[in-house]
Amino acid sequence: MRYLDCFIQCRCRMLAGILALALLTLAGCGGRGPYPVEGKIVVKDDPFPIKELEGYTVMFQSQTEPVVSASGTVKADGTFQVGTNKEDDGAVVGKHRVAVMPPIPEEGQRPKKHLLERYHRFETSGLEVTVEPKKNQIILEVEAARR
């Protein structure tokens, strides 16, 4: 009987630990998010979005540990929403570097070049945003590639 009591107590402690870990995981690491992020891409010195960027991918990379990424697809009107765990659920709180990548061209087609190539990499884009614990509205100003 004594062995059975010890076994039950150990199981209860283990289940309590698992439950506590699950609750911490569901809490989202201290409320980091994700929080909704909607935005649009505009050309510097031009208030209108670039319509040619439809199908491009906007990628966020958090600047805090652990690094968390979010991404979304640019629509015909230049707007986008990003998602971290699922489509359009947002990004985690904090500063993010941003990259804007063209879609992969279909076989036999040339890649799209509507943006300067520096925007294709986090390290060179110069684009940064801050996501706050609320619904976020982002405007990314970019320079169009010369044609």
Side-chain angles (χ1 to χ4, degrees):
M1 194 71 155
R2 186 171 221 174
Y3 173 77
L4 183 61
D5 288 339
C6 181
F7 179 77
I8 291 172
Q9 283 181 344
C10 287
R11 283 286 199 187
C12 287
R13 287 183 186 144
M14 185 170 56
L15 287 173
I18 291 171
L19 180 60
L21 183 61
L23 289 174
L24 284 173
T25 301
L26 289 174
C29 300
R32 281 188 69 193
Y35 288 92
V37 176
E38 298 176 351
K40 80 175 172 180
I41 300 177
V42 298
V43 176
K44 288 182 182 181
D45 303 322
D46 186 351
F48 299 103
I50 303 175
K51 296 185 187 299
E52 293 87 2
L53 296 184
E54 180 178 12
Y56 274 62
T57 300
V58 175
M59 298 179 293
F60 285 22
Q61 182 183 65
S62 69
Q63 295 184 13
T64 57
E65 292 294 331
V67 174
V68 180
S69 298
S71 65
T73 303
V74 179
K75 299 175 188 153
D77 63 356
T79 62
F80 63 89
Q81 292 179 305
V82 298
T84 298
N85 300 312
K86 59 183 180 179
E87 189 175 336
D88 302 342
D89 68 345
V92 297
V93 170
K95 289 186 176 186
H96 296 258
R97 297 188 303 173
V98 180
V100 183
M101 292 289 300
I104 297 172
E106 293 183 24
E107 192 173 325
Q109 289 187 338
R110 298 177 68 194
K112 292 183 176 183
K113 293 189 178 184
H114 299 292
L115 285 181
L116 297 174
E117 285 193 28
R118 71 179 184 148
Y119 294 112
H120 300 180
R121 297 173 42 92
F122 294 116
E123 298 80 14
T124 58
S125 75
L127 299 173
E128 292 186 352
V129 299
T130 300
V131 175
E132 298 179 6
K134 63 178 186 174
K135 186 174 181 177
N136 295 268
Q137 298 288 332
I138 306 288
I139 295 179
L140 297 175
E141 287 188 335
V142 298
E143 295 176 49
R146 298 196 195 282
R147 296 185 188 182

